[in-house]
Amino acid sequence: MSEEPIMVFKKPTYPINNSLLDYLERFDRISKVAISYDDLLRFSGSVTVYDKQNQDTLWIRVYYNEYERMEIDLVLKKIYSLLLSDGNLNIIKFLNVDSIDYCTFGNSKPFRIKVRNILNDNYTHFYVKKADASRVYGLELEHILSPDKINFLVYNDTLIEEHIIGIPGDVFINKLLKDCTETEKSQIAKEFVKFNERSMIRLLGDMRAYNYVIVPSHDFDQVVYKIRPIDFDQQCYEGNFKVYRPQFFKENYPMVKLVKDKLQNSSIEQYKDEERAVLAKRIFSAEYRIKKLLQIMGNDVIAPVEHIEQLKLEMFNYTHDVNFKRAKSMGNVLSSAFDFVTRNYKSINIFK
């Protein structure tokens, strides 16, 4: 276990270029409802949001003057309908915007919107953020390569994301992990190995405990745990290869210790191979979409040149694959990573 990788500078926001906008239009990711992150910033007041233990959540509940609130509520209800149903505006009369919260912590500073169905009191959250190319690439890759699909929409410089349900990783580690059975701990260790491998291959960085969730599911007489990322700001940005490997963050040390305590090296290697095989299959099954996305990423600027140079050399040293040395962009580095995984998968399965 090493020290947490250092990310010294705050990541800048990268604009969404025309090629990426065309891609988003092709796959129905463009919002038909006009919405602006900057409009939500014009709140007239706020109060601190506390959790059940009366701890500051670093979120504030914001308020608007009456005229603006009516207009904002209507837009947010339309966004809810577009994001989570078929865009049918007939449901709007059954919806209420219960709260609009603003996060004062983190890079994206999102707004969290709580929308409730007044007929049955069921509610859903979604987020409104500044659109950033890195974040959009991360969300799209999650949708394609993960077993869990994710909904998001873009309108000009604004991004709308659905809420990903789960227990925040840091909360689970600090409060719930100790009460898991030994069998459950072994299963969680297995999932962390796979999550670590998946994050590394797809170059999703900064997966500290508060940037992913643990999702428990009941299956007959056991609880099965999955790990899902919820923050995609650091997709293909950092030059330090360790940033893309959750095992190197000090916040994840309890999970790393769990892996060491519960799994033998042969099992760890087996689970890594399994995850690479699953990723390779998903890449093959969505070959056109992946190829198109990587082509756009390859021509986009989403990281400083020095980060690209550092990462491609570190990945070459890790894989000994010369293709990484030829990379000219972060998109090229990611393409080389996918090629490495699929090429090795083909060589293993060539006689099957």
Side-chain angles (χ1 to χ4, degrees):
M1 180 69 189
S2 68
E3 289 298 315
E4 174 187 356
I6 298 173
M7 295 183 289
V8 179
F9 301 105
K10 182 179 178 181
K11 178 187 170 295
T13 297
Y14 289 95
I16 298 176
N17 64 28
N18 290 333
S19 295
L20 182 53
L21 281 174
D22 290 342
Y23 173 94
L24 295 172
E25 181 76 41
R26 164 69 178 80
F27 291 103
D28 202 24
R29 297 294 199 186
I30 300 296
S31 172
K32 300 175 180 67
V33 177
I35 183 171
S36 171
Y37 174 89
D38 289 339
D39 285 345
L40 296 183
L41 286 174
R42 297 203 303 265
F43 50 86
S44 57
S46 66
V47 294
T48 301
V49 177
Y50 296 95
D51 62 18
K52 293 179 180 179
Q53 286 73 44
N54 207 33
Q55 298 294 312
D56 188 349
T57 62
L58 302 178
W59 289 80
I60 58 174
R61 187 146 297 161
V62 300
Y63 301 96
Y64 303 84
N65 64 52
E66 185 176 353
Y67 171 75
E68 285 194 319
R69 180 61 193 243
M70 291 175 61
E71 184 179 355
I72 287 171
D73 277 12
L74 180 58
V75 169
L76 293 176
K77 291 174 186 178
K78 290 179 179 179
I79 288 294
Y80 170 92
S81 174
L82 192 62
L83 183 68
L84 297 170
S85 73
D86 59 357
N88 182 2
L89 299 185
N90 291 329
I91 69 170
I92 285 180
K93 58 180 176 290
F94 304 121
L95 302 177
N96 186 71
V97 178
D98 277 9
S99 62
I100 302 175
D101 297 337
Y102 176 66
C103 184
T104 58
F105 172 76
N107 196 47
S108 60
K109 289 187 167 53
F111 285 92
R112 181 177 61 199
I113 316 300
K114 180 181 178 181
V115 178
R116 177 172 54 90
N117 186 311
I118 63 176
L119 297 178
N120 51 37
D121 280 341
N122 286 327
Y123 63 86
T124 304
H125 292 94
F126 64 88
Y127 299 88
V128 179
K129 304 178 179 181
K130 269 286 188 184
D132 171 63
S134 304
R135 201 170 295 135
V136 170
Y137 286 127
L139 285 164
E140 185 66 7
L141 287 166
E142 175 71 7
H143 180 78
I144 298 170
L145 298 177
S146 166
D148 305 290
K149 304 306 178 185
I150 187 166
N151 293 321
F152 69 92
L153 295 168
V154 172
Y155 185 84
N156 292 340
D157 62 349
T158 298
L159 172 67
I160 305 103
E161 294 179 26
E162 72 171 341
H163 174 65
I164 297 174
I165 297 173
I167 305 167
D170 54 339
V171 174
F172 184 88
I173 289 170
N174 294 330
K175 297 182 179 181
L176 302 175
L177 182 58
K178 64 180 182 297
D179 296 324
C180 292
T181 66
E182 296 307 307
T183 300
E184 289 171 346
K185 288 178 180 178
S186 295
Q187 198 264 330
I188 293 166
K190 167 187 171 182
E191 287 304 311
F192 186 78
V193 170
K194 292 192 170 190
F195 177 66
N196 189 79
E197 194 72 7
R198 186 163 67 249
S199 300
M200 177 188 70
I201 293 169
R202 57 164 287 190
L203 297 183
L204 178 60
D206 196 17
M207 283 296 103
R208 284 174 278 192
Y210 49 78
N211 285 333
Y212 60 80
V213 293
I214 311 294
V215 185
S217 301
H218 290 268
D219 181 32
F220 293 107
D221 58 347
Q222 65 173 335
V223 179
V224 178
Y225 296 89
K226 300 293 182 182
I227 303 177
R228 291 190 65 183
I230 58 172
D231 191 308
F232 303 91
D233 292 349
Q234 291 286 336
Q235 176 68 52
C236 294
Y237 175 73
E238 293 289 341
N240 185 350
F241 186 35
K242 288 182 178 179
V243 173
Y244 303 102
R245 304 173 73 187
Q247 70 188 78
F248 287 104
F249 287 98
K250 64 182 181 182
E251 291 88 348
N252 293 331
Y253 177 70
M255 300 293 256
V256 175
K257 186 175 185 301
L258 204 62
V259 172
K260 291 181 178 178
D261 292 344
K262 294 295 180 183
L263 303 180
Q264 298 180 358
N265 288 338
S266 58
S267 295
I268 293 173
E269 292 305 314
Q270 174 195 338
Y271 297 142
K272 286 182 179 180
D273 289 343
E274 288 178 5
E275 190 60 30
R276 292 185 183 191
V278 168
L279 278 173
K281 290 176 182 177
R282 290 182 186 140
I283 291 169
F284 288 135
S285 66
E287 188 172 3
Y288 169 78
R289 194 163 178 171
I290 287 285
K291 184 177 180 180
K292 186 64 178 176
L293 189 65
L294 290 176
Q295 182 183 33
I296 295 168
M297 287 184 73
N299 294 317
D300 203 352
V301 177
I302 52 175
V305 173
E306 56 268 26
H307 287 193
I308 300 167
E309 293 300 316
Q310 178 186 359
L311 182 60
K312 72 181 191 180
L313 289 178
E314 290 189 15
M315 293 196 72
F316 167 75
N317 292 332
Y318 183 77
T319 63
H320 305 294
D321 186 344
V322 73
N323 285 329
F324 286 105
K325 280 191 171 183
R326 302 190 183 109
K328 304 295 183 184
S329 66
M330 277 296 186
N332 293 159
V333 177
L334 184 61
S335 182
S336 297
F338 286 178
D339 285 345
F340 180 82
V341 170
T342 55
R343 195 166 59 246
N344 280 277
Y345 174 77
K346 283 180 179 178
S347 67
I348 293 171
N349 290 274
I350 191 169
F351 296 115
K352 291 187 178 181

